[in-house]
Amino acid sequence: MRYWIFGIIAGGFLVSFQLQNPFTQTGNASYYSNKFQGRRTASGATYHKDSMYCAHKSLKYGTILKVTNLKNDSIIIVKVVDRMGKSSPHIIDLSMAGAQKLNFVRNGIAKVKVEEVIPIPIAKAD
């Protein structure tokens, strides 16, 4: 099964994201607390609560993920920039912006489906 998602990325490139079957996971998601604002992540990026970032236990830094809230079908696209502890009961930690878009800030935890997205450049926009 393949889905196509199109979007304009900064720099004027039109990019298509082709969802294939390389990685899929279902489980609970949580989000970073505000105390991490401005700190460095494991990849070296600076964490900003309004960025679409996440932490995962094993995926490579820079991996793009589609995260779906299974309760309300909200969908976001995030980038892996941090590492979670192996003993965490959650499968992913999202930035505050990601948690807000998935509508689970009040609950603190949400059942989600995580799918790897493979970016494929299509054409340069004029």
Side-chain angles (χ1 to χ4, degrees):
M1 179 189 296
R2 294 183 183 196
Y3 299 96
W4 292 89
I5 300 173
F6 295 95
I8 300 290
I9 303 274
F13 287 95
L14 177 63
V15 176
S16 164
F17 296 101
Q18 181 179 9
L19 300 179
Q20 298 176 342
N21 300 324
F23 178 82
T24 301
Q25 191 175 25
T26 302
N28 287 330
S30 57
Y31 62 92
Y32 285 87
S33 81
N34 288 330
K35 73 179 183 179
F36 292 106
Q37 174 68 19
R39 292 189 185 178
R40 289 242 181 242
T41 62
S43 68
T46 303
Y47 172 73
H48 296 284
K49 65 181 182 177
D50 56 346
S51 297
M52 298 303 283
Y53 288 159
C54 73
H56 194 272
K57 294 178 185 179
S58 60
L59 292 175
K60 294 190 316 187
Y61 301 131
T63 301
I64 306 296
L65 300 174
K66 173 186 168 192
V67 183
T68 305
N69 184 335
L70 297 176
K71 184 175 181 181
N72 61 22
D73 293 327
S74 299
I75 296 172
I76 60 170
I77 303 291
V78 293
K79 182 178 181 180
V80 176
V81 296
D82 207 0
R83 192 64 65 218
M84 292 175 60
K86 298 283 185 195
S87 63
S88 174
H90 306 125
I91 62 168
I92 193 169
D93 275 336
L94 297 168
S95 62
M96 177 65 78
Q100 288 171 339
K101 289 191 184 280
L102 290 180
N103 299 312
F104 75 90
V105 173
R106 177 174 273 191
N107 296 337
I109 297 173
K111 180 96 170 177
V112 297
K113 180 178 181 182
V114 175
E115 300 170 89
E116 184 177 3
V117 175
I118 313 230
I120 302 171
I122 293 181
K124 181 162 175 76
D126 292 328

